[in-house]
């Protein structure tokens, strides 16, 4: 059986190019104010295994 890989430079059927209608990434997900937090846990409260 002869398997041929199509040439990616060739078009496949009728192609319609549309303009980019999505907004830039900065507008898709607005930035939110963040807060830095440090937490401390006891070793007993964590699932911890010394092997």
């Amino acid at each position: 059986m002869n398997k041929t890989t199509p040439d990616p430079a060739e078009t496949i059927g009728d192609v319609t190019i549309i303009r980019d209608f999505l907004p830039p990434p900065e507008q898709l997900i607005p930035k939110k104010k963040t807060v830095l937090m440090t937490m401390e846990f006891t070793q007993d409260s964590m699932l911890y295994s010394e092997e």
Side-chain angles (χ1 to χ4, degrees):
M1 184 180 288
N2 186 6
K3 290 186 177 182
T4 59
T5 304
D7 183 2
E10 292 181 17
T11 59
I12 301 172
D14 292 332
V15 177
T16 303
I17 298 175
I18 59 170
R19 66 176 196 82
D20 188 7
F21 59 89
L22 291 175
E26 305 83 42
Q27 291 179 359
L28 287 174
I29 303 175
K31 283 200 159 211
K32 294 184 179 181
K33 186 176 179 181
T34 60
V35 177
L36 180 62
M37 182 185 302
T38 302
M39 299 177 78
E40 204 170 288
F41 298 95
T42 63
Q43 190 172 9
D44 293 338
S45 67
M46 306 303 292
L47 295 175
Y48 180 75
S49 171
E50 278 190 40
E51 293 183 32

